[in-house]
C-alpha cells in the first residue's frame, strides 16, 4: 500500500467540534482535545462562578445613609430605628470584611434588638434590610423553640432555615441575617433564676446564647431531629447577624416605675410633671428594664444594639397606605389594572380606613384586613361588569358600605 492512500487522523475539539485547521491552536490530551476559543470560554465561566459565590459586600460596602434611604422607600416613619439599624448593619459587614488578622483589635459582633408595639414595622425593616444587602435571610418564631430533647423545634433549626434560604450555599449562609421574632415570648416568668428547666422560657434563652455570640453548630441539612447516622453540616455563626424583635407588652410599666411615674387606680399621678406616652417610654428602655421584664442578663449582653420603634399615628398610617414602593393602595390599583380598569381612592375614604385601624391598636398590620373587607365585593364584581373603565372608592363606601362610583365606556373603547 502506498503512503498516498494512508488517511491521517483528523483532530477536532471535543467541545465545539471544530477541526485543527479551523482554530488557532488545539490542545490534546488522552483522547480529548480542546481549542483555544473553548479555553477562553471556560475561563470566563469559572470567573463568573467565582464572582457569584462572593458576597456583594466583598466588592463594596453600602454606607449607612444609603441603607436608610432604601429603607425609607419601604418603611414609613421610625427614623431613629432606621439610623440605628443602618449603622449596626454597616459596622457588622465592615467587621466581616476585615482581612488584617494581625491586628490585635478584634471587633465584636453587634446583634440587634428591636422593641416596639405590634404593627410598627419590625419585621418589614428586617426583610427590607436583607433585600437591600442581597444576603440570605430567614424569619424564625421564638415561640416554637424549645430546649433540645423536648417537643418543639430545636434552636439549631433556625440555622437550617437560613441554610435552605441560601440555596444550600455554606459560605453565603455564614454571612446571612436571621430575624428572630416574638423574642419577648420566651422571657422567664419571674425575676428569679429558675433552678429547674423552663423549656419555654429561660431554658430557650440559654440555648440561643451560643449561636448569638458565635459558635460552630452542627445541623441536619433538611431539618428535624439529629440522629447518629445523619450527615451534619457545620455552620459558623460568628458572622451571622441576628436581629431579634418583640412587642414586649407590659414593658412600658417597668420603664414607668423606673422613671418615676406612679399608677393610682385608673389615673396616673405623674410625679415628674410629664405624662409619658407608650412610644416615649419604649424610647427610654435600658438593659435593666429588659432584665426586669424577664430576659436573662447573658441574653441582653449579646444584643447590645437597642432600637425602639414608636407607634404609628394617623398621618403615618395614611402614608403607609399610599407612599411606600409596595404600598397597599398601589397593590390594589395594580390588581384591578390587570382587568383594564382604573381604581381610584378618595382621600376621605382612606382617612376613614386609618381611623378604623387606629381603633384596633394593631398598627399598620390591620390596614390590609380592613381594606380586604371593603374591597371583597368590589373585586368580586369587577371582572363581570362589561365596558367598565374606572371604579372610585368614596368615603361613603367605607362609612355606610355604599356602592362605589363606576364609570363606563363604550363597547368600542373597551375593545
Amino acid at each position: 500500500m502506498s503512503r498516498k492512500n494512508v488517511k491521517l487522523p483528523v483532530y477536532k475539539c471535543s467541545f465545539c467540534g471544530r477541526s485543527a485547521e479551523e482554530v488557532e491552536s488545539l490542545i490534546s490530551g488522552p483522547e480529548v482535545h480542546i481549542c483555544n476559543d473553548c479555553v477562553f470560554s471556560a475561563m470566563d465561566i469559572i470567573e463568573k462562578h467565582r464572582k457569584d459565590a462572593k458576597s456583594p459586600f466583598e466588592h463594596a460596602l453600602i454606607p449607612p445613609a444609603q441603607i436608610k434611604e432604601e429603607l425609607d422607600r419601604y418603611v414609613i416613619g421610625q427614623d431613629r430605628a432606621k439610623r440605628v439599624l443602618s449603622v449596626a448593619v454597616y459596622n457588622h459587614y465592615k467587621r466581616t470584611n476585615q482581612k488584617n488578622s494581625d491586628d490585635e483589635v478584634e471587633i465584636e459582633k453587634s446583634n440587634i434588638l428591636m422593641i416596639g408595639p405590634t404593627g410598627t414595622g419590625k419585621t418589614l425593616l428586617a426583610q427590607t434590610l436583607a433585600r437591600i444587602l442581597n444576603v440570605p435571610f430567614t424569619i424564625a418564631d421564638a415561640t416554637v423553640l424549645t430546649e433540645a430533647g423536648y417537643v418543639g423545634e430545636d434552636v439549631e433549626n433556625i440555622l437550617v432555615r437560613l441554610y435552605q434560604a441560601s440555596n444550600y450555599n455554606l459560605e453565603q449562609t455564614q454571612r446571612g441575617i436571621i430575624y428572630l421574632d416574638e423574642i419577648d415570648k420566651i422571657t422567664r416568668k419571674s425575676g428569679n433564676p429558675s433552678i429547674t428547666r423552663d423549656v419555654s422560657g429561660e431554658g430557650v434563652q440559654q440555648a440561643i446564647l451560643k449561636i448569638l455570640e458565635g459558635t460552630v453548630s452542627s445541623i441536619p441539612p433538611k431539618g428535624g431531629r439529629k440522629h447518629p447516622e445523619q450527615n451534619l453540616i457545620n455552620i459558623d455563626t460568628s458572622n451571622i447577624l441576628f436581629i431579634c424583635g418583640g412587642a414586649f407588652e407590659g414593658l412600658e410599666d417597668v420603664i414607668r416605675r423606673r422613671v418615676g411615674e406612679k399608677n393610682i387606680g385608673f389615673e396616673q399621678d405623674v410625679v415628674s410633671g410629664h405624662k409619658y406616652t407608650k412610644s416615649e417610654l419604649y424610647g427610654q428602655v435600658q438593659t435593666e428594664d429588659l432584665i426586669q421584664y424577664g430576659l436573662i442578663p447573658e441574653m441582653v449582653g449579646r444584643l447590645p444594639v437597642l432600637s425602639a420603634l414608636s407607634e404609628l399615628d394617623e398621618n403615618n398610617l395614611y402614608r403607609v397606605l399610599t407612599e411606600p414602593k409596595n404600598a397597599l393602595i398601589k397593590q390594589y390599583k395594580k390588581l384591578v389594572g390587570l382587568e383594564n380598569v382604573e381604581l381610584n381612592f378618595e382621600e376621605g375614604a382612606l382617612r376613614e380606613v386609618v381611623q378604623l385601624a387606629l381603633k384596633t391598636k394593631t398598627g399598620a398590620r390591620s390596614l390590609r384586613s380592613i381594606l380586604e373587607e371593603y374591597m371583597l365585593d368590589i373585586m368580586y364584581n369587577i371582572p363581570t361588569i362589561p365596558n367598565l373603565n374606572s371604579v372610585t372608592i368614596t368615603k361613603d363606601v367605607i362609612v355606610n358600605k355604599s356602592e362605589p362610583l363606576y364609570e363606563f365606556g363604550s363597547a368600542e373603547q373597551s375593545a
Side-chain angles (χ1 to χ4, degrees):
M1 183 182 290
S2 66
R3 293 177 59 89
K4 292 183 179 178
N5 295 329
V6 176
K7 272 193 167 184
L8 295 175
V10 178
Y11 296 109
K12 292 184 179 181
C13 178
S14 303
F15 295 88
C16 65
R18 289 183 294 177
S19 64
E21 290 79 10
E22 297 176 285
V23 296
E24 193 173 308
S25 59
L26 193 68
I27 303 170
S28 298
E31 300 182 1
V32 178
H33 314 280
I34 184 170
C35 69
N36 58 295
D37 291 332
C38 289
V39 169
F40 288 123
S41 298
M43 289 174 59
D44 291 339
I45 293 170
I46 292 170
E47 188 63 28
K48 182 179 183 300
H49 285 177
R50 283 177 178 171
K51 289 180 180 178
D52 290 344
K54 291 181 180 179
S55 167
F57 274 91
E58 293 184 11
H59 301 290
L61 278 168
I62 304 176
Q66 189 176 337
I67 295 176
K68 182 183 179 297
E69 186 179 330
E70 285 295 316
L71 289 174
D72 287 336
R73 297 175 61 195
Y74 292 90
V75 185
I76 295 299
Q78 315 300 357
D79 281 346
R80 175 66 181 171
K82 289 175 187 173
R83 285 176 176 268
V84 171
L85 284 172
S86 300
V87 172
V89 168
Y90 177 73
N91 286 340
H92 172 76
Y93 283 103
K94 189 163 58 175
R95 163 188 171 272
T96 62
N97 283 349
Q98 64 174 348
K99 303 296 182 183
N100 187 6
S101 57
D102 297 332
D103 195 343
E104 294 180 358
V105 179
E106 184 178 345
I107 304 173
E108 295 182 354
K109 183 168 66 165
S110 297
N111 296 310
I112 304 165
L113 176 61
M114 290 196 294
I115 299 171
T118 182
T120 52
K122 298 185 292 294
T123 306
L124 182 58
L125 278 170
Q127 287 176 326
T128 307
L129 269 178
R131 188 186 302 118
I132 294 168
L133 306 175
N134 191 25
V135 295
F137 172 78
T138 189
I139 299 176
D141 191 343
T143 56
V144 300
L145 300 176
T146 59
E147 287 186 82
Y150 288 84
V151 175
E153 287 195 18
D154 291 346
V155 171
E156 286 83 1
N157 280 355
I158 299 173
L159 303 176
V160 174
R161 293 183 185 179
L162 186 65
Y163 184 57
Q164 293 169 344
S166 67
N167 199 21
Y168 302 96
N169 185 317
L170 183 60
E171 184 181 349
Q172 290 285 350
T173 302
Q174 293 177 156
R175 295 172 63 87
I177 296 176
I178 293 176
Y179 177 66
L180 190 55
D181 202 5
E182 307 291 357
I183 197 72
D184 55 316
K185 304 303 188 294
I186 59 170
T187 53
R188 61 190 181 199
K189 307 309 178 211
S190 66
N192 299 321
S194 174
I195 58 173
T196 58
R197 285 194 169 188
D198 176 11
V199 297
S200 62
E202 181 181 349
V204 180
Q205 293 187 54
Q206 296 282 359
I208 291 174
L209 289 180
K210 289 304 291 182
I211 66 169
L212 282 180
E213 183 178 19
T215 186
V216 177
S217 183
S218 299
I219 65 163
K222 296 183 180 179
R225 297 290 184 185
K226 297 179 184 177
H227 57 80
E229 298 177 358
Q230 197 170 18
N231 292 325
L232 301 178
I233 302 293
N234 292 327
I235 293 182
D236 187 355
T237 65
S238 301
N239 292 330
I240 295 177
L241 180 64
F242 286 85
I243 303 175
C244 300
F248 286 85
E249 285 296 331
L251 179 63
E252 66 272 17
D253 297 326
V254 177
I255 303 171
R256 185 181 289 115
R257 287 194 294 270
R258 178 175 56 79
V259 298
E261 288 191 9
K262 292 181 179 178
N263 291 334
I264 302 177
F266 292 100
E267 299 295 327
Q268 290 182 350
D269 176 24
V270 186
V271 177
S272 62
H274 175 70
K275 184 175 181 178
Y276 292 101
T277 65
K278 190 174 183 178
S279 296
E280 288 175 329
L281 288 168
Y282 273 44
Q284 297 187 51
V285 65
Q286 295 181 4
T287 54
E288 61 186 87
D289 301 321
L290 297 172
I291 296 171
Q292 184 70 28
Y293 187 83
L295 288 179
I296 60 176
E298 299 93 327
M299 185 81 166
V300 176
R302 285 165 174 80
L303 297 167
V305 180
L306 282 178
S307 175
L309 281 73
S310 57
E311 290 181 297
L312 298 175
D313 57 18
E314 181 179 347
N315 288 331
N316 278 334
L317 282 174
Y318 181 82
R319 292 177 61 201
V320 168
L321 277 175
T322 57
E323 290 186 18
K325 189 176 180 180
N326 57 343
L328 283 172
I329 298 305
K330 294 178 182 178
Q331 293 181 38
Y332 278 107
K333 287 186 174 183
K334 186 171 183 178
L335 274 173
V336 176
L338 296 176
E339 301 284 346
N340 295 319
V341 176
E342 183 182 355
L343 179 65
N344 301 304
F345 288 86
E346 289 186 353
E347 183 178 347
L350 297 181
R351 293 289 180 186
E352 285 298 321
V353 171
V354 168
Q355 289 299 323
L356 292 172
L358 286 171
K359 291 178 183 177
T360 65
K361 295 184 178 180
T362 54
R365 200 180 299 275
S366 60
L367 290 172
R368 188 177 192 93
S369 59
I370 293 170
L371 278 172
E372 284 286 346
E373 179 184 350
Y374 289 97
M375 291 295 297
L376 176 63
D377 292 336
I378 297 169
M379 298 188 73
Y380 178 83
N381 292 324
I382 283 176
T384 56
I385 300 177
N387 305 327
L388 183 62
N389 277 352
S390 67
V391 179
T392 302
I393 310 300
T394 63
K395 180 179 179 180
D396 206 35
V397 174
I398 307 300
V399 176
N400 301 317
K401 292 191 175 181
S402 304
E403 284 291 314
L405 300 179
Y406 294 107
E407 183 180 331
F408 298 91
S410 63
E412 289 79 9
Q413 285 178 325
S414 62

